[in-house]
Amino acid sequence: MGNVAVVGSQWGDEGKGKIVDWLSERADMVVRFQGGHNAGHTLVIDGKTYKLSLLPSGVVRGKPSIIGNGVVVDPWALLDEIKRVGDLGVKITPEILKLADNAALILPVHRRLDQAREAAAGAGQIGTTGRGIGPAYEDKVARRALRVCDLADEATITAKVERMLLHHNALWRGLGQEEVNGAELIAQIKEVAPKILPYAVPVWETMAEARRDRKRILFEGAQGAMLDVDHGTYPFVTSSNTVSGQAAAGSGIGPGSVGYVLGITKAYTTRVGAGPFPTELTDAVGQLLGERGREFGTVTGRKRRCGWFDAVMVRQAIKVGGISGIALTKLDVLDTLTEIKVCVGYELNGKRVQGLPSAMGLQAVVKPIYETMTGWNCSTRGARSWAQLPAEAIKYIRRIEELIEAPVALLSTSPERDDTILVRDPFAD
């Protein structure tokens, strides 16, 4: 049995939470490897809805879960999430949850800066969640971040905060705003430290032990390939690498340990926040997709932009991210449409192109080339076998497979965990 990495193949919000929960039954351990609490996964289990941001989805089912070094961690948000999940009957202990001791922290100064910069950008906003993720990654790369392990030493906390504020307070002076009070920030950090430290371990050792013992590891990605800081629609992206290559570096294990890469792919396309979106629909069909798909962000509650399935973008994500097969989600949202369009290419300056260009200006002006397919006009919701799917729905799935050059390994037909058609078990590879 191999290990599986689950990543998004669009702009996030593809339904990874349900698929990770479904796969977690077959896994021995679940690992988050990038992002922060700007990502959100929704799980519906026995009528209860769990909204997770930092916690790996496996914790809900009592699976050993790891927050890897590639994640930036807001300790206050983590403790709040542990409490919220606890209120729903899931007790999170250090035996269940392990936090990489070399993960960088998100501090209140990061949240404040994130929000201030977005507000100052006006029409030039990139659509961050305002939770400090970008500024925290900036401090990590600039080597001035406070890490989880630093919480155990008060002298290190003081020294690192002072170094960090040399940079941050210069920014606040430049913005004409009040500087950060170092003493207050240090006091906040010291107060939260003993609550976080029980979860902190050298995660690379845990991963090595799991690999030695041939444990099945499920690597849980956040966001999607088109939000990758290198390969996405830059600068309208997140601050980390969201493709499967990050699963190894972000958890402290070799790349050969990742195994099968499952790309979660919605049967249409959505995006939250600003940035290019070639297949976006601003008409009644776009509104219908949003209403039927309940397209609101798990973390922010923001309404998602909706559009037709973009096979060009997904194929590019599959090539860049090394995706082995996809889990196609939310097929049932298309049930009432008499015709369905799929983007099969882009037009750019009068020429047909087969990929999304890197330049921001070109991304903004590509025009989709559509192929129209007949809808099935009946319910696929809750289907658990191919025999329960209408012929036109199967044709749609097969055409998507051809266009993206990857097979459908799983098909999800509702938010319920068991409404899933298994074509190929990713753990069997």
Side-chain angles (χ1 to χ4, degrees):
M1 302 291 277
N3 300 324
V4 177
V6 173
V7 295
S9 67
Q10 295 156 309
W11 279 295
D13 309 310
E14 301 99 346
K16 291 184 290 297
K18 172 196 166 169
I19 301 300
V20 169
D21 176 53
W22 193 86
L23 288 170
S24 69
E25 186 175 47
R26 294 161 172 77
D28 298 309
M29 175 183 294
V30 183
V31 184
R32 270 287 306 274
F33 59 85
Q34 52 76 218
H37 64 307
N38 55 337
H41 291 172
T42 301
L43 285 68
V44 181
I45 301 172
D46 298 329
K48 288 185 180 180
T49 299
Y50 302 87
K51 294 182 182 293
L52 307 179
S53 294
L54 272 172
L55 292 174
S57 299
V59 298
V60 177
R61 296 193 178 274
K63 294 285 181 174
S65 300
I66 289 176
I67 298 175
N69 56 276
V71 180
V72 284
V73 179
D74 182 323
W76 295 274
L78 177 58
L79 292 171
D80 179 66
E81 192 169 328
I82 289 171
K83 181 182 182 302
R84 283 189 286 107
V85 171
D87 290 343
L88 291 171
V90 179
K91 187 176 181 180
I92 308 297
T93 67
E95 287 69 41
I96 290 293
L97 177 68
K98 299 189 186 304
L99 170 62
D101 63 357
N102 57 340
L105 295 174
I106 300 173
L107 303 177
V109 65
H110 297 125
R111 293 195 299 271
R112 180 187 170 197
L113 181 60
D114 199 0
Q115 294 165 12
R117 287 200 302 211
E118 275 288 90
Q125 291 185 5
I126 61 173
T128 78
T129 60
R131 300 193 172 209
I133 281 77
Y137 273 117
E138 290 173 35
D139 278 352
K140 176 181 177 177
V141 173
R143 294 164 291 184
R144 55 174 173 260
L146 195 70
R147 304 200 297 177
V148 174
C149 54
D150 297 328
L151 296 176
D153 182 49
E154 293 189 3
T156 300
I157 293 172
T158 300
K160 285 202 168 186
V161 167
E162 288 175 353
R163 171 176 163 76
M164 185 187 297
L165 293 187
L166 283 175
H167 171 78
H168 282 266
N169 279 337
L171 292 176
W172 290 118
R173 287 193 295 272
L175 291 170
Q177 295 193 34
E178 182 182 356
E179 295 182 21
V180 177
N181 185 308
E184 290 182 3
L185 179 57
I186 290 169
Q188 287 178 289
I189 295 168
K190 288 180 179 179
E191 190 273 335
V192 80
K195 302 174 185 177
I196 290 294
L197 284 171
Y199 299 98
V201 299
V203 155
W204 69 268
E205 292 181 352
T206 307
M207 299 297 292
E209 290 170 5
R211 188 68 175 144
R212 181 199 64 205
D213 296 340
R214 302 182 66 83
K215 296 289 182 67
R216 293 184 297 267
I217 304 170
L218 182 60
F219 298 93
E220 179 181 4
Q223 291 110 0
M226 289 297 113
L227 291 175
D228 186 279
V229 69
D230 289 310
H231 303 291
T233 48
Y234 189 92
F236 303 99
V237 293
T238 194
S239 302
S240 61
N241 288 112
T242 60
V243 294
S244 63
Q246 179 64 16
S251 57
I253 198 169
S257 301
V258 173
Y260 193 97
V261 180
L262 183 66
I264 314 304
T265 308
K266 197 177 285 185
Y268 50 102
T269 310
T270 63
R271 159 158 222 174
V272 171
F277 187 168
T279 66
E280 182 173 13
L281 296 170
T282 56
D283 59 6
V285 175
Q287 183 174 346
L288 175 70
L289 293 175
E291 290 172 353
R292 284 184 55 83
R294 298 179 181 179
E295 296 296 351
F296 296 91
T298 299
V299 170
T300 64
R302 288 184 294 181
K303 185 178 180 181
R304 296 174 186 144
R305 300 153 64 189
C306 298
W308 295 119
F309 186 85
D310 190 337
V312 182
M313 182 183 75
V314 173
R315 183 174 62 245
Q316 186 168 331
I318 284 169
K319 304 302 183 188
V320 169
I323 292 172
S324 311
I326 69 166
L328 191 66
T329 65
K330 291 198 168 185
L331 182 71
D332 58 299
V333 173
L334 305 178
D335 284 350
T336 62
L337 298 174
T338 56
E339 67 174 30
I340 300 168
K341 293 184 179 181
V342 179
C343 175
V344 297
Y346 296 140
E347 181 184 323
L348 179 61
N349 298 328
K351 297 181 179 180
R352 182 166 177 152
V353 296
Q354 292 300 322
L356 194 64
S358 298
M360 179 174 68
L362 297 180
Q363 289 176 354
V365 297
V366 295
K367 296 179 180 178
I369 298 170
Y370 287 119
E371 180 178 295
T372 301
M373 302 186 67
T374 303
W376 42 93
N377 267 315
C378 61
S379 177
T380 61
R381 187 177 179 88
R384 298 183 182 181
S385 71
W386 287 104
Q388 293 176 297
L389 295 176
E392 296 301 334
I394 294 174
K395 287 181 184 177
Y396 181 71
I397 296 165
R398 295 306 185 205
R399 183 57 178 146
I400 284 176
E401 289 180 314
E402 291 174 359
L403 291 168
I404 66 175
E405 300 175 18
V408 170
L410 288 94
L411 180 66
S412 170
T413 56
S414 91
E416 293 298 326
R417 185 175 188 269
D418 293 331
D419 290 341
T420 305
I421 301 173
L422 175 64
V423 182
R424 182 174 186 170
D425 186 349
F427 276 118
D429 280 34

